Amino acid sequence: MLLSFDGQLFQRTNGETGEKLEQVLEEDSLKEKHCAIWGASMQSADFLLDEERAQKFCFQLLKNYWGKINLFFYNSFHEANFNVDIANEKMEQFFSQPKNKQQLFSFLHTQGEVEFEQLVEFIFAKPIRTPLAQTGLDKIYVQKVNNRFFIQPIYSEYAAYWKTVGAKKIYSLFLQLPLKKFARPAELMALLKILLAGQLTVNRIATIIHKLVQKVDYENPKSDELKQLHILNVRTHFTSGRRHMLKLRKCIYVLQQNWSTGQFALNNKEHTLLGYMLFQEAVYKKNHMNILVQGMYLIEEERLNDHAIELVVEYADVLNSMNPQPHALVKDYRQNYLEHVFYELIDSVVKEERFERGVGLLKNYELATCTTIFELLHTNDPDAILHTIEATVQRDIAGLVDGSAQLIRESLATWQSEYLNKDSEFYTIANMTSQHVCNLLKLLFYAEQDLLVEKLLAIYKKYLLIPEHFYDLRHFIERRTVITR
């Protein structure tokens, strides 16, 4: 079941993209000035639907493809205490009542993007985990534009073709309509990126987005929607590889300058997002002074922590969302954005010899080390709990090797035999933790935390020692000893 516009286009292109699609679109737009951003465009009036027609099409489409639950989903519904026959009756009952047409369309429009599993949850009012749906329809996109609707089904057959067609439609909308006509322009531009993913290189996609945002910027007055497009453009540079990462700082500075004042000025959350990208750009370039500047900005006044949930939800392409592990010392510090900030900050304060600042980080922020070391730095009786450091490290290693703390002895043996092997699954974590622990030891040595240094060094040599890190640590201690004599 195809929209009339999609059906005609499919027949004329034989389901081909590239030159064939461009040729057909150019034939239809000979009177238009050709746009060099991404080839020919489509006439938006040809594919946007009025609400009544959009409702009818979506209702019939989902009824045809998703209106019947076959035995492929038997186990999923059985686990959710649903009989497949009863579930089918409920589905048929829903799609047999035309009054549900408006309710369904409201759901589709609100979501923007819907897959089979979401429809099941909508109809049954409870989540039911289903395997990848073998229905012939992968998903459907619904967005309001110019008081009409952009509808794009992604069919399982020729999926790449339908993604390209959907992307061309969105591209055309931004070329032809003023921004005020879009209900959710930033979401639609993000959808353009999603549809192009896998069809073009990340470099090409970033270039298209950049030029398209520039064109929209030139033709529209300032608004919050336009600002969000600028931010999305910067995020695209951030996630599009080396070439665009090198342009990131300039893009951010231009954005900050253009949106620094007025009604639509950047808010604290947006400043924090940009600060985080500048921090990661400094990490990428190994610029330790900039790491210090941007990292301290993020943790001061709890900026990154205060906006964490909003940032992860709204900008998941920039910030990962794995929960921090303050109790752990042996871990992949890149898995959580805040832990990674502290990891890089500690490394930079050591390399720049800002030892007082580094010691302050250890004493003021639990995530700069781990719960056990943080507590040791604040106790009046460190002797009583020094032994807990080794227990912490052993527990961390057992969790990584075995997934639990039940087989500690066996896990430690496996770890010690494998972690130095660069092909080992543990090497990356071991290398990162070794570097971090050596940095902690340097700061603790500077702070004259002798008992803690002695205990942590013994544990390091037992479980985490990487020769090049250890030699560097030993050289540091020798040099500091000479300086302080």
Side-chain angles (χ1 to χ4, degrees), residues 3 48-51 54-55 57-59 61-62 66 104-115 139-145 148-154 170 173 183-184 187-188 191 195:
L3 288 162
L48 290 179
L49 306 180
D50 62 53
E51 186 166 358
Q55 284 184 9
F57 174 78
C58 290
F59 191 76
L61 178 79
L62 299 196
W66 294 345
L104 175 63
F105 188 72
S106 176
F107 167 71
L108 295 174
H109 173 229
T110 301
Q111 296 295 315
E113 171 188 347
V114 172
E115 298 179 344
K139 62 182 65 177
I140 182 171
Y141 296 103
V142 181
Q143 289 277 342
K144 188 174 184 179
V145 182
R148 302 179 77 195
F149 291 90
F150 159 76
I151 311 289
Q152 187 58 58
I154 304 298
I170 297 172
L173 291 170
R184 300 183 298 221
E187 188 176 316
L188 202 57
L191 176 55
L195 292 173

Side-chain angles (χ1 to χ4, degrees), residues 196-397:
L196 289 177
Q199 317 304 316
L200 302 174
T201 65
V202 290
N203 177 62
R204 180 72 178 120
I205 294 169
T207 301
I208 291 170
I209 297 295
H210 182 74
K211 290 182 177 180
L212 196 53
V213 170
Q214 281 186 321
K215 188 176 192 324
V216 173
D217 185 26
Y218 180 76
E219 295 180 351
N220 290 273
K222 276 196 168 186
S223 64
D224 188 64
E225 290 75 16
L226 184 59
K227 180 180 67 172
Q228 294 307 318
L229 290 182
H230 278 261
I231 292 174
L232 184 141
N233 182 39
V234 168
R235 287 158 51 201
T236 303
H237 280 286
F238 180 77
T239 57
S240 297
R242 178 181 179 277
R243 180 177 173 183
H244 290 277
M245 180 64 86
L246 294 175
K247 301 176 183 178
L248 181 68
R249 182 168 291 268
K250 180 181 178 181
C251 286
I252 290 178
Y253 284 165
V254 169
L255 189 151
Q256 288 174 328
Q257 185 178 15
N258 291 342
W259 300 92
S260 61
T261 60
Q263 180 182 356
F264 307 109
L266 292 163
N267 58 36
N268 290 334
K269 177 186 68 178
E270 292 159 349
H271 276 300
T272 302
L273 174 71
L274 298 178
Y276 179 77
M277 286 191 279
L278 286 172
F279 167 80
Q280 290 292 355
E281 186 256 6
V283 171
Y284 179 80
K285 292 182 177 178
K286 296 181 171 61
N287 187 323
H288 296 291
M289 281 305 299
N290 280 343
I291 290 173
L292 286 177
V293 171
Q294 298 301 333
M296 293 305 297
Y297 168 79
L298 291 173
I299 65 173
E300 287 169 352
E301 300 179 22
E302 298 287 329
R303 287 187 180 91
L304 191 54
N305 199 38
D306 286 349
H307 297 290
I309 295 176
E310 295 172 281
L311 291 170
V312 168
V313 170
E314 296 179 35
Y315 308 113
D317 54 336
V318 175
L319 285 88
N320 54 38
S321 58
M322 183 176 284
N323 291 330
Q325 299 172 280
H327 63 277
L329 184 62
V330 185
K331 58 190 173 186
D332 187 340
Y333 287 82
R334 298 165 302 181
Q335 292 295 317
N336 175 263
Y337 53 89
L338 199 51
E339 288 179 338
H340 188 226
V341 168
F342 281 109
Y343 174 88
E344 295 293 348
L345 268 176
I346 294 298
D347 188 52
S348 294
V349 295
V350 170
K351 285 186 167 61
E352 293 294 324
E353 299 190 350
R354 305 295 180 92
F355 300 118
E356 289 291 344
R357 176 175 288 185
V359 173
L361 289 172
L362 302 192
K363 291 183 175 180
N364 294 320
Y365 296 96
E366 184 179 5
L367 286 179
T369 54
C370 67
T371 302
T372 301
I373 294 177
F374 185 75
E375 290 175 351
L376 278 165
L377 289 171
H378 292 86
T379 183
N380 294 322
D381 186 17
D383 289 342
I385 57 173
L386 271 173
H387 67 279
T388 58
I389 301 179
E390 185 163 11
T392 294
V393 170
Q394 290 180 343
R395 182 196 60 214
D396 295 345
I397 291 172

Side-chain angles (χ1 to χ4, degrees), residues 16-205:
E16 296 179 32
T17 56
E19 291 184 10
K20 183 67 174 180
L21 178 60
E22 290 296 329
Q23 180 184 349
V24 170
L25 296 182
E26 286 175 8
E27 290 173 359
D28 293 340
S29 58
L30 291 177
K31 295 181 181 179
E32 288 187 13
K33 185 178 179 181
H34 186 70
C35 183
I37 296 174
W38 183 38
S41 61
M42 305 172 178
Q43 285 294 330
S44 60
D46 292 339
F47 60 80
L48 290 179
L49 306 180
D50 62 53
E51 186 166 358
E52 183 178 357
R53 188 179 167 202
Q55 284 184 9
K56 288 180 180 178
F57 174 78
C58 290
F59 191 76
Q60 192 60 46
L61 178 79
L62 299 196
K63 179 179 180 180
N64 286 356
Y65 284 96
W66 294 345
K68 185 173 178 61
I69 299 166
N70 58 41
L71 292 177
F72 185 74
F73 304 111
Y74 177 84
N75 288 337
S76 300
F77 279 82
H78 180 71
E79 289 172 6
N81 297 317
F82 272 104
N83 177 282
V84 172
D85 293 330
I86 296 174
N88 263 322
E89 288 179 14
K90 190 171 180 66
M91 276 283 203
E92 290 174 11
Q93 183 181 16
F94 178 86
F95 282 107
S96 67
Q97 299 179 28
K99 67 178 182 179
N100 290 329
K101 195 186 309 176
Q102 187 173 355
Q103 182 186 2
L104 175 63
F105 188 72
S106 176
F107 167 71
L108 295 174
H109 173 229
T110 301
Q111 296 295 315
E113 171 188 347
V114 172
E115 298 179 344
F116 174 73
E117 194 171 274
Q118 292 166 277
L119 177 71
V120 170
E121 182 174 351
F122 169 70
I123 292 177
F124 290 88
K126 66 181 294 186
I128 299 176
R129 300 293 299 172
T130 61
L132 291 175
Q134 306 293 314
T135 62
L137 178 68
D138 292 345
K139 62 182 65 177
I140 182 171
Y141 296 103
V142 181
Q143 289 277 342
K144 188 174 184 179
V145 182
N146 201 21
N147 290 321
R148 302 179 77 195
F149 291 90
F150 159 76
I151 311 289
Q152 187 58 58
I154 304 298
Y155 302 97
S156 304
E157 191 173 9
Y158 294 97
Y161 173 82
W162 295 116
K163 289 178 182 178
T164 302
V165 168
K168 272 289 184 182
K169 290 177 181 178
I170 297 172
Y171 167 75
S172 305
L173 291 170
F174 280 109
L175 289 179
Q176 295 166 16
L177 297 173
L179 200 58
K180 65 182 180 181
K181 297 292 185 179
F182 292 77
R184 300 183 298 221
E187 188 176 316
L188 202 57
M189 187 72 79
L191 176 55
L192 173 61
K193 284 178 58 179
I194 291 170
L195 292 173
L196 289 177
Q199 317 304 316
L200 302 174
T201 65
V202 290
N203 177 62
R204 180 72 178 120
I205 294 169

